[in-house]
mmCIF file with all atom_site columns, all heavy atoms in Angstrom:
data_model
loop_
_atom_site.group_PDB
_atom_site.id
_atom_site.type_symbol
_atom_site.label_atom_id
_atom_site.label_alt_id
_atom_site.label_comp_id
_atom_site.label_asym_id
_atom_site.label_entity_id
_atom_site.label_seq_id
_atom_site.pdbx_PDB_ins_code
_atom_site.Cartn_x
_atom_site.Cartn_y
_atom_site.Cartn_z
_atom_site.occupancy
_atom_site.B_iso_or_equiv
_atom_site.pdbx_formal_charge
_atom_site.auth_seq_id
_atom_site.auth_comp_id
_atom_site.auth_asym_id
_atom_site.auth_atom_id
_atom_site.pdbx_PDB_model_num
ATOM 1   N N   . LEU A 1 143 ? 124.334 174.343 -41.247 1.00 95.00 ? 143 LEU A N   1
ATOM 2   C CA  . LEU A 1 143 ? 125.751 174.576 -41.026 1.00 95.00 ? 143 LEU A CA  1
ATOM 3   C C   . LEU A 1 143 ? 126.194 175.994 -41.600 1.00 95.00 ? 143 LEU A C   1
ATOM 4   O O   . LEU A 1 143 ? 127.132 176.527 -41.170 1.00 95.00 ? 143 LEU A O   1
ATOM 5   C CB  . LEU A 1 143 ? 126.618 173.550 -41.813 1.00 95.00 ? 143 LEU A CB  1
ATOM 6   C CG  . LEU A 1 143 ? 126.656 172.166 -41.082 1.00 95.00 ? 143 LEU A CG  1
ATOM 7   C CD1 . LEU A 1 143 ? 127.382 171.154 -41.965 1.00 95.00 ? 143 LEU A CD1 1
ATOM 8   C CD2 . LEU A 1 143 ? 127.471 172.272 -39.774 1.00 95.00 ? 143 LEU A CD2 1
ATOM 9   N N   . ARG A 1 144 ? 125.344 176.534 -42.429 1.00 92.00 ? 144 ARG A N   1
ATOM 10  C CA  . ARG A 1 144 ? 125.628 177.918 -42.964 1.00 92.00 ? 144 ARG A CA  1
ATOM 11  C C   . ARG A 1 144 ? 125.277 179.009 -42.008 1.00 92.00 ? 144 ARG A C   1
ATOM 12  O O   . ARG A 1 144 ? 125.807 180.121 -42.112 1.00 92.00 ? 144 ARG A O   1
ATOM 13  C CB  . ARG A 1 144 ? 124.792 178.089 -44.237 1.00 92.00 ? 144 ARG A CB  1
ATOM 14  C CG  . ARG A 1 144 ? 125.110 177.157 -45.367 1.00 92.00 ? 144 ARG A CG  1
ATOM 15  C CD  . ARG A 1 144 ? 124.220 177.351 -46.563 1.00 92.00 ? 144 ARG A CD  1
ATOM 16  N NE  . ARG A 1 144 ? 124.519 176.343 -47.601 1.00 92.00 ? 144 ARG A NE  1
ATOM 17  C CZ  . ARG A 1 144 ? 123.767 176.284 -48.787 1.00 92.00 ? 144 ARG A CZ  1
ATOM 18  N NH1 . ARG A 1 144 ? 122.705 177.099 -48.995 1.00 92.00 ? 144 ARG A NH1 1
ATOM 19  N NH2 . ARG A 1 144 ? 124.083 175.372 -49.695 1.00 92.00 ? 144 ARG A NH2 1
ATOM 20  N N   . THR A 1 145 ? 124.485 178.737 -41.035 1.00 92.00 ? 145 THR A N   1
ATOM 21  C CA  . THR A 1 145 ? 123.994 179.786 -40.108 1.00 92.00 ? 145 THR A CA  1
ATOM 22  C C   . THR A 1 145 ? 124.189 179.437 -38.617 1.00 92.00 ? 145 THR A C   1
ATOM 23  O O   . THR A 1 145 ? 124.095 180.313 -37.767 1.00 92.00 ? 145 THR A O   1
ATOM 24  C CB  . THR A 1 145 ? 122.468 180.132 -40.386 1.00 92.00 ? 145 THR A CB  1
ATOM 25  O OG1 . THR A 1 145 ? 121.770 178.918 -40.136 1.00 92.00 ? 145 THR A OG1 1
ATOM 26  C CG2 . THR A 1 145 ? 122.285 180.580 -41.811 1.00 92.00 ? 145 THR A CG2 1
ATOM 27  N N   . GLU A 1 146 ? 124.412 178.227 -38.281 1.00 92.00 ? 146 GLU A N   1
ATOM 28  C CA  . GLU A 1 146 ? 124.560 177.771 -36.924 1.00 92.00 ? 146 GLU A CA  1
ATOM 29  C C   . GLU A 1 146 ? 125.922 177.248 -36.518 1.00 92.00 ? 146 GLU A C   1
ATOM 30  O O   . GLU A 1 146 ? 126.615 176.768 -37.461 1.00 92.00 ? 146 GLU A O   1
ATOM 31  C CB  . GLU A 1 146 ? 123.447 176.687 -36.540 1.00 92.00 ? 146 GLU A CB  1
ATOM 32  C CG  . GLU A 1 146 ? 122.048 177.114 -36.830 1.00 92.00 ? 146 GLU A CG  1
ATOM 33  C CD  . GLU A 1 146 ? 121.011 176.029 -36.487 1.00 92.00 ? 146 GLU A CD  1
ATOM 34  O OE1 . GLU A 1 146 ? 121.360 175.216 -35.566 1.00 92.00 ? 146 GLU A OE1 1
ATOM 35  O OE2 . GLU A 1 146 ? 119.988 175.992 -37.109 1.00 92.00 ? 146 GLU A OE2 1
ATOM 36  N N   . PRO A 1 147 ? 126.295 177.279 -35.315 1.00 91.00 ? 147 PRO A N   1
ATOM 37  C CA  . PRO A 1 147 ? 127.603 176.758 -34.837 1.00 91.00 ? 147 PRO A CA  1
ATOM 38  C C   . PRO A 1 147 ? 127.667 175.222 -35.209 1.00 91.00 ? 147 PRO A C   1
ATOM 39  O O   . PRO A 1 147 ? 126.725 174.490 -35.027 1.00 91.00 ? 147 PRO A O   1
ATOM 40  C CB  . PRO A 1 147 ? 127.622 176.898 -33.359 1.00 91.00 ? 147 PRO A CB  1
ATOM 41  C CG  . PRO A 1 147 ? 126.656 178.067 -33.079 1.00 91.00 ? 147 PRO A CG  1
ATOM 42  C CD  . PRO A 1 147 ? 125.567 177.873 -34.174 1.00 91.00 ? 147 PRO A CD  1
ATOM 43  N N   . VAL A 1 148 ? 128.903 174.846 -35.799 1.00 93.00 ? 148 VAL A N   1
ATOM 44  C CA  . VAL A 1 148 ? 129.053 173.539 -36.317 1.00 93.00 ? 148 VAL A CA  1
ATOM 45  C C   . VAL A 1 148 ? 128.896 172.524 -35.199 1.00 93.00 ? 148 VAL A C   1
ATOM 46  O O   . VAL A 1 148 ? 128.328 171.356 -35.443 1.00 93.00 ? 148 VAL A O   1
ATOM 47  C CB  . VAL A 1 148 ? 130.438 173.356 -37.021 1.00 93.00 ? 148 VAL A CB  1
ATOM 48  C CG1 . VAL A 1 148 ? 131.559 173.640 -35.989 1.00 93.00 ? 148 VAL A CG1 1
ATOM 49  C CG2 . VAL A 1 148 ? 130.560 172.033 -37.576 1.00 93.00 ? 148 VAL A CG2 1
ATOM 50  N N   . LEU A 1 149 ? 129.293 172.783 -33.949 1.00 93.00 ? 149 LEU A N   1
ATOM 51  C CA  . LEU A 1 149 ? 129.190 171.739 -32.958 1.00 93.00 ? 149 LEU A CA  1
ATOM 52  C C   . LEU A 1 149 ? 127.723 171.531 -32.477 1.00 93.00 ? 149 LEU A C   1
ATOM 53  O O   . LEU A 1 149 ? 127.428 170.374 -32.085 1.00 93.00 ? 149 LEU A O   1
ATOM 54  C CB  . LEU A 1 149 ? 130.098 172.136 -31.700 1.00 93.00 ? 149 LEU A CB  1
ATOM 55  C CG  . LEU A 1 149 ? 131.575 172.085 -31.901 1.00 93.00 ? 149 LEU A CG  1
ATOM 56  C CD1 . LEU A 1 149 ? 132.326 172.463 -30.639 1.00 93.00 ? 149 LEU A CD1 1
ATOM 57  C CD2 . LEU A 1 149 ? 132.100 170.750 -32.379 1.00 93.00 ? 149 LEU A CD2 1
ATOM 58  N N   . LYS A 1 150 ? 126.919 172.591 -32.571 1.00 94.00 ? 150 LYS A N   1
ATOM 59  C CA  . LYS A 1 150 ? 125.517 172.348 -32.277 1.00 94.00 ? 150 LYS A CA  1
ATOM 60  C C   . LYS A 1 150 ? 124.869 171.523 -33.223 1.00 94.00 ? 150 LYS A C   1
ATOM 61  O O   . LYS A 1 150 ? 124.131 170.624 -32.866 1.00 94.00 ? 150 LYS A O   1
ATOM 62  C CB  . LYS A 1 150 ? 124.823 173.753 -32.226 1.00 94.00 ? 150 LYS A CB  1
ATOM 63  C CG  . LYS A 1 150 ? 123.335 173.715 -31.799 1.00 94.00 ? 150 LYS A CG  1
ATOM 64  C CD  . LYS A 1 150 ? 122.749 175.137 -31.838 1.00 94.00 ? 150 LYS A CD  1
ATOM 65  C CE  . LYS A 1 150 ? 121.255 175.064 -31.409 1.00 94.00 ? 150 LYS A CE  1
ATOM 66  N NZ  . LYS A 1 150 ? 120.434 174.225 -32.184 1.00 94.00 ? 150 LYS A NZ  1
ATOM 67  N N   . VAL A 1 151 ? 125.151 171.707 -34.500 1.00 96.00 ? 151 VAL A N   1
ATOM 68  C CA  . VAL A 1 151 ? 124.545 170.852 -35.577 1.00 96.00 ? 151 VAL A CA  1
ATOM 69  C C   . VAL A 1 151 ? 125.070 169.414 -35.417 1.00 96.00 ? 151 VAL A C   1
ATOM 70  O O   . VAL A 1 151 ? 124.191 168.511 -35.476 1.00 96.00 ? 151 VAL A O   1
ATOM 71  C CB  . VAL A 1 151 ? 124.908 171.421 -36.986 1.00 96.00 ? 151 VAL A CB  1
ATOM 72  C CG1 . VAL A 1 151 ? 124.397 170.514 -38.066 1.00 96.00 ? 151 VAL A CG1 1
ATOM 73  C CG2 . VAL A 1 151 ? 124.387 172.846 -37.146 1.00 96.00 ? 151 VAL A CG2 1
ATOM 74  N N   . LEU A 1 152 ? 126.339 169.251 -35.118 1.00 96.00 ? 152 LEU A N   1
ATOM 75  C CA  . LEU A 1 152 ? 126.918 167.856 -34.970 1.00 96.00 ? 152 LEU A CA  1
ATOM 76  C C   . LEU A 1 152 ? 126.198 167.206 -33.727 1.00 96.00 ? 152 LEU A C   1
ATOM 77  O O   . LEU A 1 152 ? 125.874 166.009 -33.834 1.00 96.00 ? 152 LEU A O   1
ATOM 78  C CB  . LEU A 1 152 ? 128.394 167.967 -34.770 1.00 96.00 ? 152 LEU A CB  1
ATOM 79  C CG  . LEU A 1 152 ? 129.229 168.099 -36.044 1.00 96.00 ? 152 LEU A CG  1
ATOM 80  C CD1 . LEU A 1 152 ? 130.694 168.278 -35.672 1.00 96.00 ? 152 LEU A CD1 1
ATOM 81  C CD2 . LEU A 1 152 ? 128.977 167.021 -37.009 1.00 96.00 ? 152 LEU A CD2 1
ATOM 82  N N   . ARG A 1 153 ? 126.069 167.911 -32.686 1.00 95.00 ? 153 ARG A N   1
ATOM 83  C CA  . ARG A 1 153 ? 125.377 167.373 -31.547 1.00 95.00 ? 153 ARG A CA  1
ATOM 84  C C   . ARG A 1 153 ? 123.993 166.913 -31.779 1.00 95.00 ? 153 ARG A C   1
ATOM 85  O O   . ARG A 1 153 ? 123.584 165.815 -31.348 1.00 95.00 ? 153 ARG A O   1
ATOM 86  C CB  . ARG A 1 153 ? 125.518 168.323 -30.359 1.00 95.00 ? 153 ARG A CB  1
ATOM 87  C CG  . ARG A 1 153 ? 124.871 167.808 -29.053 1.00 95.00 ? 153 ARG A CG  1
ATOM 88  C CD  . ARG A 1 153 ? 125.399 166.493 -28.621 1.00 95.00 ? 153 ARG A CD  1
ATOM 89  N NE  . ARG A 1 153 ? 126.660 166.592 -27.886 1.00 95.00 ? 153 ARG A NE  1
ATOM 90  C CZ  . ARG A 1 153 ? 127.270 165.506 -27.418 1.00 95.00 ? 153 ARG A CZ  1
ATOM 91  N NH1 . ARG A 1 153 ? 126.732 164.317 -27.502 1.00 95.00 ? 153 ARG A NH1 1
ATOM 92  N NH2 . ARG A 1 153 ? 128.432 165.627 -26.729 1.00 95.00 ? 153 ARG A NH2 1
ATOM 93  N N   . ASP A 1 154 ? 123.248 167.731 -32.543 1.00 96.00 ? 154 ASP A N   1
ATOM 94  C CA  . ASP A 1 154 ? 121.932 167.335 -32.962 1.00 96.00 ? 154 ASP A CA  1
ATOM 95  C C   . ASP A 1 154 ? 121.892 166.055 -33.860 1.00 96.00 ? 154 ASP A C   1
ATOM 96  O O   . ASP A 1 154 ? 121.003 165.248 -33.706 1.00 96.00 ? 154 ASP A O   1
ATOM 97  C CB  . ASP A 1 154 ? 121.256 168.487 -33.638 1.00 96.00 ? 154 ASP A CB  1
ATOM 98  C CG  . ASP A 1 154 ? 120.882 169.661 -32.742 1.00 96.00 ? 154 ASP A CG  1
ATOM 99  O OD1 . ASP A 1 154 ? 120.898 169.456 -31.498 1.00 96.00 ? 154 ASP A OD1 1
ATOM 100 O OD2 . ASP A 1 154 ? 120.548 170.798 -33.214 1.00 96.00 ? 154 ASP A OD2 1
#
Side-chain angles (χ1 to χ4, degrees):
L143 284 173
R144 299 176 181 176
T145 58
E146 298 180 32
V148 61
L149 292 182
K150 181 179 184 302
V151 177
L152 282 176
R153 179 53 82 178
D154 287 346

